Amino acid sequence: MDIEGGLGGMEKIDDLIKRRNELHEGKLTEMGLNDDLSSKAAKADSATLSDVKELERKLKQLREILHSQKEGSMSLSSELSEVRTALMSLQGQEKESTSLQSQSNAQFKEVQEELERMEIIDKDTAEEEAAIEAECKLFEDMSKMRLIKISDTDMQFVLTHIDDSNPDDPFVFSFRPEVNDTFAVFDMDPPLTELDGLVAELNRTKDLGIFVRTVRSLWCQQFSSS
């Protein structure tokens, strides 16, 4: 083998080694690229998975919020129903209270009218008593007679100068006004047998003066003849 041939062979060997090295480096580069791509893909997958999990978490929160709002809406609906029921009850009570108030007003009006009627009756009775007292005072001055009030309703006549032998001896009878402008006469001392007829005439005429004068006249007749 000559030198040139040997050198040429060496060059070929160098070329082969160089090409082998280049191929080896290319494979390494390809492998590195693949690894890099795989790593990036893994990272991308990891990021996507993280995003998916975050989305699932937010979706869960949203569902919980919607569920809570739904329960709150149901609770609010229940509370509104209770308020409506209470309002209807209150309206019913208000109507009943208005009805009771109307009845109370009517009853109050009736009582007030009755009181007014009683006041009129009391006024008439007071005026009648005043007239009787005035008339009796006149009789007392004229005929030696006194009128004594013995209770809220009863009065007593006391007459003197009937018995000439005992002019100061009292002759008495009591009376009271009753319904329908009538009089009841009682406790007459000394008694008169004509009393029932005299009382009937008194209630017919309503003239107490005539009654007293008649009683005095009968007593005078009785004791003047004795």
Side-chain angles (χ1 to χ4, degrees):
M1 179 181 297
D2 56 11
I3 296 174
E4 291 181 356
L7 292 172
M10 289 295 293
E11 289 177 354
K12 288 181 180 181
I13 291 171
D14 289 337
D15 289 338
L16 289 173
I17 292 171
K18 185 178 180 180
R19 290 185 62 187
R20 188 189 65 181
N21 290 335
E22 288 177 352
L23 289 174
H24 180 70
E25 289 176 358
K27 287 182 181 180
L28 289 177
T29 300
E30 181 179 0
M31 289 177 63
L33 180 60
N34 288 336
D35 290 341
D36 185 54
L37 290 175
S38 297
S39 175
K40 289 182 178 180
K43 290 180 180 180
D45 290 342
S46 176
T48 301
L49 181 61
S50 176
D51 291 341
V52 169
K53 288 183 178 180
E54 179 65 18
L55 182 60
E56 288 178 349
R57 185 183 66 80
K58 290 183 178 181
L59 182 59
K60 183 179 179 181
Q61 289 180 349
L62 180 61
R63 286 173 178 169
E64 290 176 353
I65 292 172
L66 290 175
H67 181 70
S68 175
Q69 289 179 346
K70 183 177 180 181
E71 289 182 347
S73 176
M74 292 176 63
S75 176
L76 179 60
S77 177
S78 176
E79 291 177 1
L80 287 175
S81 178
E82 292 178 358
V83 170
R84 291 191 188 97
T85 301
L87 181 60
M88 291 176 65
S89 176
L90 182 60
Q91 289 174 343
Q93 292 177 1
E94 183 178 359
K95 291 180 180 178
E96 183 178 357
S97 176
T98 302
S99 176
L100 291 175
Q101 183 66 34
S102 299
Q103 295 178 6
S104 177
N105 290 339
Q107 292 175 352
F108 177 78
K109 185 177 180 180
E110 291 179 0
V111 171
Q112 190 174 21
E113 290 175 351
E114 182 64 23
L115 288 174
E116 290 175 355
R117 285 194 294 268
M118 291 177 65
E119 287 176 358
I120 293 173
I121 293 173
D122 290 343
K123 183 179 179 181
D124 292 342
T125 302
E127 291 176 351
E128 183 179 353
E129 289 179 354
I132 292 172
E133 288 181 3
E135 187 174 0
C136 290
K137 183 64 170 61
L138 178 62
F139 292 156
E140 182 177 343
D141 294 338
M142 295 176 61
S143 58
K144 306 298 181 180
M145 178 186 67
R146 291 182 296 115
L147 179 63
I148 302 172
K149 188 173 184 179
I150 57 179
S151 72
D152 290 339
T153 58
D154 300 349
M155 291 182 285
Q156 185 180 69
F157 280 104
V158 181
L159 285 69
T160 57
H161 294 80
I162 293 176
D163 186 355
D164 292 337
S165 59
N166 297 292
D168 293 331
D169 285 353
F171 289 69
V172 300
F173 69 88
S174 301
F175 78 99
R176 74 169 63 94
E178 293 191 336
V179 295
N180 300 323
D181 296 330
T182 60
F183 295 93
V185 179
F186 53 95
D187 294 340
M188 179 172 281
D189 185 29
L192 291 173
T193 58
E194 300 90 349
L195 179 60
D196 290 342
L198 294 174
V199 173
E201 184 66 15
L202 168 63
N203 288 328
R204 186 184 68 83
T205 62
K206 316 299 182 186
D207 194 332
L208 187 60
I210 292 177
F211 177 80
V212 175
R213 287 195 296 270
T214 302
V215 169
R216 170 181 279 278
S217 176
L218 291 173
W219 272 333
C220 288
Q221 291 174 17
Q222 180 179 344
F223 283 88
S224 64
S225 60
S226 57

